[in-house]
């Protein structure tokens, strides 16, 4: 492999600041060197934080993102910074969860993507948000997301 597929990355290996908003966050990608194989990539963010748009109080979620890459892989530091940018962003649980998935789909053009947003209770009600781009690809090994129904997560 003589070509360096990582040469265009700006955030990995250097000092970076947390983006002020999801719109400001810069996702980065690299070519998928295994694009001829259908495989699942899982990112788990057990401490995702955003703000309630009405009260400004923090909301917490356990996010699980599964995707089958096409030509591109998301660079994980840029994904972490993108997710962290929601810390000062006010939006309802459903909007945060779906916005994250749609941004990844638009940027990566994966063969398939799903997200599970398991939100911790506010006002005594947990909210779980699920979305996927299409039915699961045939023959794909896809483990359970591993987050039990709410009975006191954590």
């Amino acid at each position: 492999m003589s070509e360096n597929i990582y040469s265009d990355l700006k955030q990995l290996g250097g000092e970076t600041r947390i983006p002020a908003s999801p719109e400001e966050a810069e996702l980065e990608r690299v070519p998928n060197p295994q694009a001829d194989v259908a495989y699942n990539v899982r990112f788990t963010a057990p401490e995702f934080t955003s703000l309630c748009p009405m009260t400004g109080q923090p909301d917490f979620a356990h996010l699980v993102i599964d995707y089958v890459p096409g030509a591109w892989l998301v660079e994980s530091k840029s994904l972490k910074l993108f997710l962290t940018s929601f810390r000062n962003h006010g939006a309802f649980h459903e909007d945060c969860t779906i916005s994250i998935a749609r941004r990844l789909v638009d940027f990566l053009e994966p063969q398939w993507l799903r997200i599970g947003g398991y939100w911790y209770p506010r006002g005594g009600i947990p909210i779980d948000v699920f979305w996927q781009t299409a039915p699961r690809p045939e023959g794909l090994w896809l483990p359970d997301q591993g987050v039990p129904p709410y009975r006191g997560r954590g």
Side-chain angles (χ1 to χ4, degrees):
M1 190 179 215
S2 59
E3 178 189 358
N4 183 352
I5 63 173
Y6 313 113
S7 61
D8 292 332
L9 297 176
K10 300 177 208 152
Q11 299 174 94
L12 185 62
E15 188 176 327
T16 54
R17 63 177 187 77
I18 296 172
S21 69
E23 296 78 24
E24 185 185 301
E26 181 181 358
L27 285 168
E28 293 188 300
R29 63 189 183 185
V30 297
N32 178 6
Q34 302 296 328
D36 62 325
V37 177
Y39 62 96
N40 186 58
V41 176
R42 173 168 291 169
F43 288 100
T44 304
E47 299 176 345
F48 179 83
T49 307
S50 67
L51 298 177
C52 172
M54 303 304 288
T55 67
Q57 294 294 311
D59 287 323
F60 305 99
H62 182 136
L63 299 181
V64 181
I65 302 165
D66 289 306
Y67 80 103
V68 176
W72 301 103
L73 300 172
V74 69
E75 192 284 308
S76 63
K77 182 175 181 179
S78 75
L79 177 63
K80 290 175 202 173
L81 290 167
F82 171 57
L83 295 177
T84 301
S85 74
F86 281 82
R87 284 187 179 169
N88 295 314
H89 177 73
F92 288 126
H93 302 157
E94 299 87 345
D95 187 28
C96 287
T97 305
I98 303 305
S99 294
I100 291 165
R102 292 178 78 175
R103 174 100 179 255
L104 289 170
V105 168
D106 289 346
F107 184 66
L108 297 173
E109 300 175 356
Q111 295 179 39
W112 179 81
L113 181 139
R114 80 170 177 184
I115 189 168
Y118 302 86
W119 292 83
Y120 291 85
R122 289 285 310 270
I125 301 173
I127 298 174
D128 295 338
V129 181
F130 307 101
W131 183 75
Q132 64 185 29
T133 57
R136 179 179 62 129
E138 178 117 11
L140 178 70
W141 179 53
L142 187 65
D144 181 79
Q145 289 194 333
V147 182
Y150 185 77
R151 290 200 179 132
R153 291 187 184 126

